Short mmCIF file of all heavy atoms in Angstrom, two decimals:
data_model
loop_
_atom_site.label_atom_id
_atom_site.label_comp_id
_atom_site.label_asym_id
_atom_site.label_seq_id
_atom_site.Cartn_x
_atom_site.Cartn_y
_atom_site.Cartn_z
N GLU A 195 246.68 164.61 21.25
CA GLU A 195 245.85 165.81 21.11
C GLU A 195 246.05 166.52 19.82
O GLU A 195 247.18 167.02 19.61
CB GLU A 195 246.19 166.80 22.30
CG GLU A 195 245.33 167.99 22.25
CD GLU A 195 245.50 168.93 23.53
OE1 GLU A 195 245.06 168.51 24.68
OE2 GLU A 195 245.97 169.91 23.31
N VAL A 196 244.96 166.45 19.05
CA VAL A 196 245.01 167.16 17.77
C VAL A 196 244.46 168.51 18.05
O VAL A 196 243.45 168.79 18.58
CB VAL A 196 244.24 166.39 16.71
CG1 VAL A 196 244.11 167.13 15.48
CG2 VAL A 196 244.76 165.02 16.50
N ASP A 197 245.26 169.61 17.48
CA ASP A 197 244.86 171.02 17.74
C ASP A 197 244.94 171.83 16.40
O ASP A 197 245.90 171.73 15.78
CB ASP A 197 245.84 171.51 18.85
CG ASP A 197 245.22 172.93 19.33
OD1 ASP A 197 244.30 173.02 19.91
OD2 ASP A 197 246.06 173.89 19.03
N PHE A 198 243.90 172.57 16.23
CA PHE A 198 243.91 173.53 15.13
C PHE A 198 243.51 174.94 15.55
O PHE A 198 242.44 175.11 16.09
CB PHE A 198 242.95 173.15 14.01
CG PHE A 198 243.30 171.74 13.40
CD1 PHE A 198 242.78 170.56 13.90
CD2 PHE A 198 244.23 171.59 12.38
CE1 PHE A 198 242.98 169.26 13.39
CE2 PHE A 198 244.55 170.35 11.83
CZ PHE A 198 243.94 169.27 12.35
N GLU A 199 244.37 175.95 15.27
CA GLU A 199 243.92 177.30 15.60
C GLU A 199 243.40 177.97 14.47
O GLU A 199 243.81 177.83 13.30
CB GLU A 199 245.25 178.15 15.99
CG GLU A 199 244.91 179.53 16.62
CD GLU A 199 246.17 180.27 17.21
OE1 GLU A 199 247.14 179.49 17.50
OE2 GLU A 199 246.13 181.42 17.29
N ILE A 200 242.26 178.68 14.62
CA ILE A 200 241.57 179.33 13.51
C ILE A 200 242.03 180.80 13.28
O ILE A 200 241.67 181.72 14.11
CB ILE A 200 240.04 179.24 13.62
CG1 ILE A 200 239.54 177.83 13.92
CG2 ILE A 200 239.31 179.96 12.48
CD1 ILE A 200 238.23 177.53 14.24
N LYS A 201 243.08 181.02 12.53
CA LYS A 201 243.75 182.27 12.41
C LYS A 201 242.80 183.46 11.98
O LYS A 201 242.89 184.54 12.59
CB LYS A 201 244.75 182.23 11.20
CG LYS A 201 245.83 181.23 11.49
CD LYS A 201 246.84 181.56 12.54
CE LYS A 201 247.99 180.53 12.60
NZ LYS A 201 248.94 180.77 13.65
N SER A 202 241.77 183.16 11.19
CA SER A 202 240.79 184.29 10.68
C SER A 202 239.72 184.61 11.80
O SER A 202 239.06 185.63 11.65
CB SER A 202 240.13 183.84 9.49
OG SER A 202 239.42 182.60 9.70
N TYR A 203 239.73 183.88 12.91
CA TYR A 203 238.78 184.14 14.02
C TYR A 203 239.49 184.15 15.28
O TYR A 203 239.59 183.11 16.01
CB TYR A 203 237.59 183.09 13.94
CG TYR A 203 236.48 183.33 14.89
CD1 TYR A 203 236.06 184.68 15.14
CD2 TYR A 203 235.77 182.27 15.40
CE1 TYR A 203 234.92 184.81 15.93
CE2 TYR A 203 234.66 182.59 16.26
CZ TYR A 203 234.19 183.84 16.53
OH TYR A 203 233.19 184.08 17.30
N LYS A 204 240.35 185.18 15.46
CA LYS A 204 241.30 185.22 16.57
C LYS A 204 240.73 184.92 17.98
O LYS A 204 239.59 185.34 18.32
CB LYS A 204 241.96 186.63 16.60
CG LYS A 204 243.15 186.63 17.54
CD LYS A 204 243.88 187.93 17.33
CE LYS A 204 245.07 188.06 18.36
NZ LYS A 204 246.03 186.93 18.29
N GLY A 205 241.30 184.10 18.64
CA GLY A 205 240.94 183.59 20.00
C GLY A 205 240.28 182.27 20.06
O GLY A 205 240.08 181.64 20.97
N SER A 206 239.87 181.84 18.90
CA SER A 206 239.19 180.53 18.77
C SER A 206 240.05 179.41 18.39
O SER A 206 241.19 179.72 17.82
CB SER A 206 237.97 180.66 17.82
OG SER A 206 238.38 180.69 16.51
N GLY A 207 239.65 178.15 18.58
CA GLY A 207 240.36 177.10 18.27
C GLY A 207 239.55 175.79 18.32
O GLY A 207 238.51 175.81 18.85
N ILE A 208 239.96 174.70 17.76
CA ILE A 208 239.31 173.53 17.70
C ILE A 208 240.33 172.33 17.78
O ILE A 208 241.43 172.55 17.30
CB ILE A 208 238.35 173.23 16.45
CG1 ILE A 208 237.44 172.14 16.59
CG2 ILE A 208 239.16 173.26 15.17
CD1 ILE A 208 236.38 172.25 17.68
N GLY A 209 239.93 171.38 18.42
CA GLY A 209 240.85 170.14 18.50
C GLY A 209 240.16 168.97 19.13
O GLY A 209 238.95 169.02 19.33
N MET A 210 240.86 167.87 19.22
CA MET A 210 240.25 166.64 19.72
C MET A 210 241.38 165.85 20.44
O MET A 210 242.40 165.66 19.85
CB MET A 210 239.68 165.82 18.57
CG MET A 210 239.14 164.55 18.78
SD MET A 210 238.62 163.63 17.38
CE MET A 210 237.04 164.46 17.06
N ASP A 211 241.08 165.29 21.59
CA ASP A 211 241.96 164.29 22.20
C ASP A 211 241.56 162.96 21.60
O ASP A 211 240.49 162.48 21.95
CB ASP A 211 241.84 164.30 23.64
CG ASP A 211 242.61 165.37 24.48
OD1 ASP A 211 243.08 166.36 23.74
OD2 ASP A 211 242.66 165.33 25.61
N VAL A 212 242.39 162.49 20.69
CA VAL A 212 241.99 161.26 19.94
C VAL A 212 242.25 159.98 20.67
O VAL A 212 243.21 159.25 20.28
CB VAL A 212 242.73 161.33 18.52
CG1 VAL A 212 242.10 162.33 17.61
CG2 VAL A 212 244.16 161.52 18.68
N LEU A 213 241.58 159.87 21.80
CA LEU A 213 241.86 158.73 22.69
C LEU A 213 240.64 157.87 22.93
O LEU A 213 239.45 158.27 22.89
CB LEU A 213 242.23 159.35 24.04
CG LEU A 213 243.69 160.01 24.04
CD1 LEU A 213 243.88 160.71 25.38
CD2 LEU A 213 244.75 158.98 23.91
N PRO A 214 240.83 156.52 23.15
CA PRO A 214 239.78 155.54 23.26
C PRO A 214 238.78 155.88 24.38
O PRO A 214 237.62 155.57 24.20
CB PRO A 214 240.53 154.19 23.55
CG PRO A 214 241.98 154.46 23.12
CD PRO A 214 242.21 155.93 23.24
N ALA A 215 239.34 156.20 25.62
CA ALA A 215 238.47 156.45 26.63
C ALA A 215 237.38 157.46 26.43
O ALA A 215 236.33 157.29 26.77
CB ALA A 215 239.24 156.78 27.95
N LEU A 216 237.76 158.54 25.74
CA LEU A 216 236.83 159.56 25.41
C LEU A 216 235.70 159.14 24.41
O LEU A 216 234.55 159.42 24.58
CB LEU A 216 237.50 160.76 24.90
CG LEU A 216 238.41 161.48 25.82
CD1 LEU A 216 239.28 162.63 25.25
CD2 LEU A 216 237.66 162.10 26.93
N LEU A 217 236.07 158.34 23.52
CA LEU A 217 235.07 157.66 22.56
C LEU A 217 234.15 156.80 23.34
O LEU A 217 232.98 156.80 23.13
CB LEU A 217 235.90 156.92 21.48
CG LEU A 217 234.93 156.18 20.50
CD1 LEU A 217 234.25 157.25 19.51
CD2 LEU A 217 235.79 155.24 19.61
#
Side-chain angles (χ1 to χ4, degrees):
E195 181 175 290
V196 171
D197 187 65
F198 299 95
E199 188 172 342
I200 304 171
K201 302 283 186 184
S202 58
Y203 190 32
K204 189 166 177 58
S206 69
I208 189 69
M210 176 184 283
D211 279 12
V212 288
L213 289 170
L216 294 171
L217 180 68

